[in-house]
């Protein structure tokens, strides 16, 4: 099979999952047609139209740019099945009813192209049984594909083959889902609820059972099972509300209907919890009905009380002692919890023990290896570590003995012993299921390495599991220079990489000096410079904490000097003789945003959040951000027939004055922080690969930095126009007097000060105005209040 070229995708079913899968396909520029039943009244595509309209209202948004909802093509099964012939991939995502799915397959089969892959997005139905409705010539191109909700944000996609699925199609689909959709793919066995939901929902049921055993409240449990435990911040019950209690019940029913005590020794714990059934009977399905385990009334959060069948005030927190225990090293942590006298500690040990027990007993039947289970729990349930990783970190055999002792004492959920491979043989000898050779496969009795597909060559530092000893980006390649602030290194000897090491990659004196040296070194010996760091943070901006002592000792003059040095580095980035590429992932705020926009090119992961946020601490951008807004406005005006720069300033001024952040790389492009020529990368682990290749391609094509040019500004008339609007906002109570003052300073800089409209200026001229405005605000009491408030609480102060 040649390269699987997905030119168009059809999504069948415009429900919650189908519509959001279509939205994500639009995010990554894959043309998509969304099908559903013909509406009984009004336009035949009415069901799909309403679903697409619903996408625009969802939070968090399934769309990178809300207006892109219009790019989803609408269709219905009565009029448009012919359109399937032009689709290379068809994702069926209708309701979880086997009979409905089989009927639909019979209907669409004559219209599916002979090369197309058909995949069912199901959370647990048998893929092999679903394939039985297909003609023989389609069975080898059919598989399961399980997205997690919400599809844009959840990393996990499970692929499930049938005995007839040909490997070449599964490999092609894995490559597409990985590189084009940006997902982490795990191959699951065709067992009930596959891997993530099998382990995750069993874990949630076990947690609910232990909550009853120990008499804890839902708010305390969520506090214990959220970030403190290294899991999603929403904990257990808030997560259930977000997923939907009806959806969760359906997954539970799949376990109940397809398993038995003979096939799953934990079956007795799969009964629908009384509280869940009560909430379902009340119609309280969680977030979608605005009431579930929790309910928000005004600003108050209430929790459900099963005895009274009513909502009572929530907000209870776990005992601090357990928070301290959970910060201990893994081995010490688990021993402390097991020996704890309080109910909260005993509860935590119970749910961890249950998760280890369940994963070990079922590993052979649900997954190819232990790594796939851990990845599923990380990517599908927001855990920092999967169950096997935590178990191994805490000491494999010691923890195994504790689990088996609890099983023998009747404290566990069932009497099934841990498998023999836990205590003897290669796993016991290696001290766990994860080794540098691979992860344990109990069926073959071997450690299985990571699957090698060409798509994974694009990931220099893919996610790995504890014990695999995978290459670390912190030490990989050849280090040329390193200190506590920054590392300059190269992977291939052609492109220099600068990785910022400070907390939140804040920009202080060490980073400024390191970036300057990086540019000089790249110009001398390399084809380009890539600014990249291997975590969820490009840069949170200037280091305020390091700035304040300098301000206290040297006053404004010291800050002006530091800001000037940073501005010079920004210009050095822009005008370097070799390409400079900002590889952005996660937060690029304030100075981080400025570092990005002054680079020669940007390569951004889809989930990048970019913006000039200085007004949140009572400041204005001071490293060239406002100068960039003014220059881009002039450049955009030059591409039009207009001679008035002010209309082209509006978006940039508003973004800076309101600290507006792009909530995706796509929105950041719309806001002007990314250009149309910049590259958006769906998969975060491909970011460095793409950035290095962009630098090389630019160098190979004879890269030259842009010419330094004078450009026109809006001048005093532009300032007057903007300030007139600000007066209305201030007098109307929409902004405070200090907000008005800050916004006025921003207007003065982006308009070039008290000069005539159309006056030509340099970047250095505007940067000097930026520094002056920045430094004047530092001495303002209201700004100082905002800075201190942000540093002490992490939240902006409105004054």
């Amino acid at each position: 099979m040649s390269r699987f070229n997905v030119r168009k995708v059809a999504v069948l079913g415009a429900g919650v999952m189908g519509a959001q899968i279509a939205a994500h396909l639009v995010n990554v520029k894959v043309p998509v047609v969304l099908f559903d039943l013909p509406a009984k009244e009004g336009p035949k595509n009415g069901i799909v139209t309403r679903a697409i309209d619903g996408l625009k209202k969802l939070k968090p948004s399934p769309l990178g740019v809300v207006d892109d909802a219009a790019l989803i093509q609408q269709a219905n099964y009565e009029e448009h099945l012919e359109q399937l012939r032009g689709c290379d991939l068809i994702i069926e995502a209708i309701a979880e009813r086997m009979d409905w799915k089989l009927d639909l397959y019979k209907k669409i089969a004559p219209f599916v192209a002979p090369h197309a892959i058909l995949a069912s997005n199901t959370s647990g139905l048998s893929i092999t049984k679903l394939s039985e409705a297909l003609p023989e010539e389609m069975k080898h191109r059919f598989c399961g594909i399980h997205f997690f909700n919400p599809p844009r944000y959840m990393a996990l996609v499970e692929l499930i083959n049938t005995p007839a699925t040909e490997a070449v199609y599964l490999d092609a689909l894995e490559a597409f889902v990985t590189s084009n959709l940006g997902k982490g793919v795990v191959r699951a066995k065709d067992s009930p609820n596959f891997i993530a939901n099998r382990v995750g929902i069993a874990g949630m049921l076990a947690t609910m059972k232990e909550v009853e055993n120990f008499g804890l409240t839902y708010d305390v449990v969520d506090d214990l099972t959220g970030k403190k435990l290294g899991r999603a911040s929403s904990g257990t019950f808030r997560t259930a509300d977000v997923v939907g209690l009806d959806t969760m019940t359906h997954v539970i029913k799949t376990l109940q209907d397809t398993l038995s005590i003979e096939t799953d020794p934990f079956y007795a714990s799969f009964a629908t919890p009384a509280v869940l059934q009560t909430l379902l009977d009340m119609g309280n399905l969680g977030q979608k009905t605005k009431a579930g385990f929790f309910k928000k009334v005004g600003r108050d959060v209430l929790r459900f009380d099963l005895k009274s069948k009513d909502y009572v005030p929530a907000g209870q927190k776990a005992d601090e002692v357990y928070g301290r225990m959970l910060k201990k090293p893994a081995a010490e942590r688990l021993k402390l919890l097991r020996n704890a006298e309080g109910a909260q500690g005993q509860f935590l040990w119970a749910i961890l023990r249950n998760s280890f027990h369940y994963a070990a007993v079922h590993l052979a039947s649900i997954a190819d290896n232990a790594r796939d289970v851990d990845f599923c729990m990380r990517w599908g349930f927001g855990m920092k570590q999967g169950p096997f990783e935590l178990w191994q970190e805490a000491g494999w055999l010691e923890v195994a003995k504790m689990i088996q002792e609890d099983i023998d004492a009747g404290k566990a959920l069932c009497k099934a012993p841990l498998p023999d491979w836990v205590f003897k043989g290669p796993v016991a000898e290696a001290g766990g299921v994860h080794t540098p050779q691979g992860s344990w496969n109990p069926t073959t009795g071997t450690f299985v390495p990571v699957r090698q597909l060409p798509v994974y060559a694009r990931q220099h530092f893919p996610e790995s599991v504890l014990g695999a000893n995978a290459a670390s980006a912190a030490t990989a390649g050849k280090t040329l220079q390193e200190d506590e602030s920054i590392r300059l290194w190269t992977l291939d000897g052609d492109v220099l990489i600068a990785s910022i090491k400070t907390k939140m990659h804040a920009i202080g004196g060490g980073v400024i000096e390191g970036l300057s040296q990086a540019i000089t070194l790249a110009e001398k010996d390399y084809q380009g410079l890539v600014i990249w760091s291997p975590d969820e943070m490009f840069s949170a901006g200037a280091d305020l904490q390091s700035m304040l002592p300098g301000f206290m000792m040297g006053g404004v003059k010291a800050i002006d000097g530091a800001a000037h040095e940073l501005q010079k580095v920004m210009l050095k980035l822009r005008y370097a003789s070799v390409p400079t590429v900002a590889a952005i992932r996660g937060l690029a705020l304030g100075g981080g945003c400025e570092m990005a926009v002054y680079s020669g090119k940007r390569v951004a992961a889809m989930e990048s959040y970019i913006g000039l946020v200085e007004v949140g601490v009572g400041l204005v951008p001071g490293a060239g951000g406002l100068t960039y807004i003014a220059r881009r406005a002039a450049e955009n005006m030059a591409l039009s027939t207009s001679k008035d720069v002010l209309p082209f300033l509006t978006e940039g001024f508003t973004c800076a004055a309101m600290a507006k952040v792009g909530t995706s790389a796509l929105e950041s492009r719309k806001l002007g922080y990314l250009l149309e020529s910049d590259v958006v990368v769906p998969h975060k682990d491909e970011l460095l690969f793409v950035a290095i290749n962009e630098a090389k391609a630019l160098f190979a094509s004879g890269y030259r930095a842009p010419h330094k040019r004078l450009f026109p500004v809006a001048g005093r008339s532009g300032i007057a126009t903007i300030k007139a609007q600000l007066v209305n906002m201030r007098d109307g109570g929409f902004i405070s007097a200090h907000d008005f003052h800050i916004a006025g300073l921003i207007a003065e800089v982006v308009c070039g000060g008290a000069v005539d409209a159309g006056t030509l200026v340099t970047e250095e001229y505007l940067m000097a105005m930026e520094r002056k405005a920045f430094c004047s605000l530092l001495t303002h009491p209201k700004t100082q209040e905002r800075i201190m408030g942000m540093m002490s609480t992490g939240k902006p102060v409105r004054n």
Side-chain angles (χ1 to χ4, degrees):
M1 184 181 182
S2 59
R3 184 175 74 90
F4 183 52
N5 183 16
V6 181
R7 293 159 296 184
K8 192 172 189 177
V9 176
V11 177
L12 312 181
V16 172
M17 286 302 291
Q20 292 198 56
I21 291 168
H24 189 58
L25 287 162
V26 164
N27 290 338
V28 296
K29 293 190 172 180
V30 176
V32 59
V33 53
L34 181 60
F35 280 81
D36 211 301
L37 294 166
K40 293 178 180 177
E41 297 179 358
K44 288 285 180 70
N45 287 338
I47 294 174
V48 176
T49 302
R50 286 191 291 276
I52 293 173
D53 287 342
L55 290 172
K56 302 173 188 176
K57 302 168 188 172
L58 284 178
K59 298 293 179 186
S61 177
L63 291 153
V65 176
V66 172
D67 293 345
D68 283 352
L71 299 177
I72 301 173
Q73 189 178 338
Q74 302 182 24
N76 65 78
Y77 304 127
E78 184 179 299
E79 300 175 307
H80 305 121
L81 287 179
E82 280 288 339
Q83 292 186 26
L84 293 176
R85 299 188 193 278
C87 296
D88 304 295
L89 171 62
I90 299 169
I91 299 173
E92 170 271 303
I94 68 170
E96 294 281 85
R97 283 272 302 267
M98 177 78 71
D99 53 342
W100 290 0
K101 289 177 185 281
L102 296 179
D103 286 346
L104 181 59
Y105 294 170
K106 290 172 185 174
K107 183 182 291 187
I108 66 169
F111 302 93
V112 176
H115 70 282
I117 294 174
L118 172 63
S120 175
N121 181 68
T122 171
S123 59
L125 295 179
S126 169
I127 303 302
T128 302
K129 285 185 180 178
L130 286 171
S131 72
E132 291 171 1
L134 296 170
E136 286 300 319
E137 64 270 18
M138 284 181 63
K139 288 183 178 180
H140 67 291
R141 294 179 279 120
F142 176 74
C143 65
I145 183 169
H146 181 207
F147 288 85
F148 277 67
N149 190 22
R152 171 185 162 187
Y153 300 96
M154 297 302 290
L156 179 63
V157 168
E158 292 173 313
L159 294 184
I160 311 95
N161 64 293
T162 74
T165 309
E166 288 186 7
V168 67
Y169 290 100
L170 214 59
D171 289 350
L173 187 57
E174 180 167 347
F176 172 74
V177 171
T178 299
S179 196
N180 293 85
L181 302 189
K183 300 301 174 188
V185 173
V186 170
R187 303 270 184 102
K189 291 186 178 181
D190 192 9
S191 58
N193 287 349
F194 314 129
I195 299 174
N197 274 345
R198 179 70 174 273
V199 176
I201 296 300
M204 291 181 82
L205 284 169
T207 299
M208 291 181 186
K209 197 172 185 68
E210 300 293 1
V211 167
E212 292 176 15
N213 291 342
F214 291 100
L216 302 179
T217 58
Y218 308 131
D219 43 5
V220 167
V221 170
D222 275 2
D223 190 40
L224 286 169
T225 60
K227 284 188 176 180
K228 286 186 174 74
L229 198 59
R231 298 183 177 181
S233 58
S234 50
T236 299
F237 294 100
R238 179 65 188 139
T239 296
D241 278 350
V242 171
V243 169
L245 303 191
D246 53 342
T247 303
M248 184 177 170
T249 303
H250 175 82
V251 179
I252 294 169
K253 192 171 187 307
T254 303
L255 293 176
Q256 293 168 344
D257 292 348
T258 55
L259 296 170
S260 65
I261 195 66
E262 288 76 26
T263 57
D264 192 323
F266 294 81
Y267 187 76
S269 63
F270 292 162
T272 305
V275 63
L276 183 58
Q277 190 59 57
T278 301
L279 288 167
L280 290 169
D281 293 342
M282 294 171 66
N284 293 358
L285 307 181
Q287 186 170 272
K288 66 182 78 174
T289 59
K290 300 185 178 178
F293 285 104
F294 294 97
K295 178 181 181 180
K296 195 168 184 183
V297 179
R299 293 187 177 182
D300 297 325
V301 176
L302 309 178
R303 64 171 170 82
F304 186 67
D305 177 68
L306 182 59
K307 287 182 181 178
S308 65
K309 294 186 180 180
D310 201 357
Y311 287 86
V312 299
Q316 278 185 284
K317 297 291 183 183
D319 292 343
E320 290 184 13
V321 65
Y322 299 110
R324 292 194 293 271
M325 281 186 190
L326 291 172
K327 291 179 180 178
K328 300 285 186 183
E332 185 180 352
R333 183 191 327 156
L334 293 192
K335 286 177 184 174
L336 285 169
L337 293 174
R338 190 181 186 226
N339 297 324
E341 295 182 1
Q344 294 178 22
Q346 292 173 21
F347 162 78
L348 284 170
W349 162 248
I351 64 170
L352 290 172
R353 176 203 63 217
N354 294 341
S355 70
F356 301 152
H357 188 192
Y358 193 87
V361 168
H362 288 293
L363 174 58
S365 64
I366 64 174
D368 177 68
N369 60 78
R371 178 180 53 250
D372 287 349
V373 172
D374 282 344
F375 276 160
C376 277
M377 300 317 293
R378 276 204 221 166
W379 296 339
F381 279 80
M383 295 183 179
K384 285 187 177 177
Q385 285 182 306
F388 288 118
E389 288 180 287
L390 176 56
W391 180 351
Q392 182 164 332
E393 185 184 8
W396 184 264
L397 286 176
E398 282 196 46
V399 173
K401 288 172 186 173
M402 291 194 291
I403 299 167
Q404 190 60 52
E405 285 173 8
D406 278 13
I407 296 169
D408 295 340
K411 295 179 181 179
L413 288 176
C414 75
K415 295 179 180 179
L418 290 174
D420 288 344
W421 57 260
V422 170
F423 292 102
K424 57 190 177 184
V427 170
E429 292 164 12
V433 290
H434 302 308
T435 70
Q437 292 74 42
S439 293
W440 181 248
N441 179 330
T443 304
T444 62
T446 59
F447 292 104
V448 180
V450 174
R451 186 180 299 105
Q452 294 298 312
L453 292 177
V455 66
Y456 294 120
R458 296 169 59 89
Q459 299 180 10
H460 288 306
F461 303 102
E463 278 195 59
S464 186
V465 287
L466 178 137
N469 292 352
S472 167
T475 55
K478 179 183 178 183
T479 300
L480 301 163
Q481 185 177 316
E482 185 171 13
D483 58 27
E484 61 186 9
S485 297
I486 197 166
R487 179 184 179 221
L488 308 184
W489 58 291
T490 181
L491 262 180
D492 58 6
D494 294 327
V495 173
L496 184 66
I497 304 167
S499 296
I500 301 173
K501 295 169 55 182
T502 53
K503 185 179 179 181
M504 297 185 75
H505 301 171
I507 303 170
V511 173
I512 295 170
E513 184 179 349
L515 282 174
S516 181
Q517 291 172 351
I519 299 162
T520 299
L521 187 57
E523 289 181 317
K524 179 175 176 286
D525 295 326
Y526 293 89
Q527 295 179 18
L529 169 67
V530 169
I531 304 172
W532 172 85
S533 296
D535 54 28
E536 298 288 347
M537 185 77 64
F538 181 70
S539 172
D543 187 349
L544 288 176
Q545 283 189 316
S546 68
M547 180 193 301
L548 287 179
F551 175 62
M552 298 300 290
M553 292 176 62
V556 168
K557 194 173 281 187
I559 299 301
D560 182 78
H564 196 193
E565 289 303 311
L566 182 53
Q567 288 178 346
K568 286 194 283 189
V569 168
M570 296 301 176
L571 291 175
K572 194 173 180 180
L573 264 179
R574 174 167 164 76
Y575 294 109
S577 61
V578 292
T580 56
V581 179
I584 308 161
R585 173 183 166 196
L587 300 180
L589 305 177
C593 174
E594 289 164 315
M595 187 161 55
V597 299
Y598 275 89
S599 296
K601 186 155 191 171
R602 286 137 298 278
V603 173
M606 177 68 72
E607 297 307 323
S608 296
Y609 304 88
I610 308 173
L612 298 168
V613 296
E614 286 83 353
V615 298
V617 288
L619 295 168
V620 298
L626 300 183
T627 301
Y628 168 79
I629 289 169
R631 175 173 57 77
R632 282 296 298 158
E635 290 168 351
N636 289 333
M637 183 194 74
L639 297 174
S640 73
T641 57
S642 175
K643 298 300 179 186
D644 181 8
V645 74
L646 185 59
F648 299 91
L649 269 177
T650 304
E651 184 77 70
F653 166 79
T654 303
C655 288
M658 296 181 66
K660 194 169 184 181
V661 175
T663 56
S664 68
L666 302 178
E667 189 180 17
S668 295
R669 177 180 277 157
K670 192 174 180 183
L671 298 180
Y673 297 130
L674 297 177
L675 307 182
E676 285 299 323
S677 57
D678 292 331
V679 180
V680 175
V681 180
H683 201 298
K684 61 182 176 56
D685 291 339
E686 294 186 1
L687 190 63
L688 181 59
F689 172 88
V690 175
I692 288 173
N693 280 280
E694 283 292 321
K696 287 182 176 180
L698 287 168
F699 182 85
S701 62
Y703 177 81
R704 291 285 178 181
H707 284 293
K708 281 198 172 190
R709 297 179 185 273
L710 299 173
F711 53 90
V713 290
R716 61 174 68 86
S717 60
I719 296 170
T721 300
I722 293 173
K723 284 191 173 179
Q725 296 170 347
L726 292 173
V727 166
N728 291 336
M729 294 180 71
R730 181 196 62 194
D731 293 350
F734 297 104
I735 60 174
S736 69
H738 195 48
D739 291 329
F740 174 81
H741 176 60
I742 296 168
L745 290 175
I746 292 173
E748 289 172 13
V749 176
V750 297
C751 292
V755 297
D756 292 336
T759 297
L760 299 177
V761 302
T762 64
E763 287 169 297
E764 289 82 358
Y765 166 81
L766 288 180
M767 283 182 164
M769 292 186 67
E770 269 191 60
R771 293 200 310 276
K772 183 178 179 182
F774 183 89
C775 291
S776 72
L777 285 167
L778 268 178
T779 63
H780 199 295
K782 294 284 187 184
T783 286
Q784 291 172 0
E785 281 178 25
R786 292 192 183 187
I787 291 173
M788 297 310 295
M790 178 64 78
M791 290 175 64
S792 60
T793 68
K795 296 178 181 178
V797 174
R798 304 317 305 167
N799 57 4

